[in-house]
Amino acid sequence: MKVIDALGVACPGPVVAAKKELEEGKKEGFQILVDNQIAVDNLRKFASSQNCEFAYTRLEEKKYEVHIVPTDKTKLSSAKMEEEQPQEVKPAGQGTVVVLCSNKMGEGDEALGKILIKGYIYALTQLEELPKTVLMYNSGVFLACEGSESLEDLKTLEKNGVEILACGTCLNHYQMQSKLAVGNVTNMYEIAQKMAGATKVIRP
């Protein structure tokens, strides 16, 4: 049985790893190592949503061994087909706009907020249907600039057809106009236009 080492991996990494392993279509299941009870609970919910058997063992204070095994009710990925199919690029959504107005997520501890926004942007790359546009303004523009821990994830979104737009006024205010590393510069009129024309606006 395959063992996935997700020790020290932040949310939603362990669930994404489990999802990818399940999509391989192997019926024997797998083990995944995590370092906190919340990760165990998240994997339990994921396993339940996929009709998989679930069990775990606490090996040490910060080490848990989770077992996930598909059942007859589990819908395995087409990856189990004998002929390997080429991976299709995920299509961008037709009307969903994600608005990132800060380089952190939520109020409270700033360090935690930055961890959360990094995890959120990574989670966007794993969605079945990607958003059409990601808008960034105020300190949110830092996420698209050199040194951002979310650059690779934003580049992945852009590569898969997601429009990435950063407010030019905000870049100028923070003197980051020369540091933009992904996406294009936009203005407040276009931001208002994109949000008004969206079928859904998500602001984490």
Side-chain angles (χ1 to χ4, degrees), residues 51-125:
N51 295 308
C52 292
E53 294 179 355
F54 174 91
Y56 81 94
T57 303
R58 183 177 180 180
L59 303 177
E60 301 173 11
E61 182 179 354
K62 292 186 177 181
K63 187 174 183 180
Y64 300 78
E65 183 180 75
V66 174
H67 297 252
I68 296 177
V69 180
T71 68
D72 292 339
K73 295 181 179 180
T74 303
K75 183 178 180 182
L76 296 176
S77 169
S78 57
K80 68 180 180 179
M81 297 172 59
E82 292 185 4
E83 294 185 4
E84 183 176 352
Q85 300 297 325
Q87 185 175 3
E88 296 182 0
V89 175
K90 301 175 185 177
Q94 295 303 306
T96 300
V97 171
V98 174
V99 177
L100 304 176
C101 60
S102 175
N103 63 342
K104 61 182 185 298
M105 189 174 182
E107 301 298 329
D109 185 80
E110 182 174 350
L112 174 60
K114 290 183 176 181
I115 291 172
L116 294 177
I117 197 66
K118 180 177 182 290
Y120 178 80
I121 294 173
Y122 171 68
L124 286 179
T125 69

Side-chain angles (χ1 to χ4, degrees), residues 135 163 165 185-196:
L135 298 173
E163 184 180 35
L165 298 174
V185 177
T186 188
N187 56 73
M188 196 50 65
Y189 178 80
E190 186 177 18
I191 288 174
Q193 191 178 47
K194 294 287 185 183
M195 292 176 70

Side-chain angles (χ1 to χ4, degrees), residues 89-90 130 153-162 164 182:
V89 175
K90 301 175 185 177
L130 302 176
D153 291 328
L154 288 171
K155 288 179 179 179
T156 296
L157 290 171
E158 185 176 51
K159 180 180 178 181
N160 286 336
V162 179
I164 309 293
V182 61

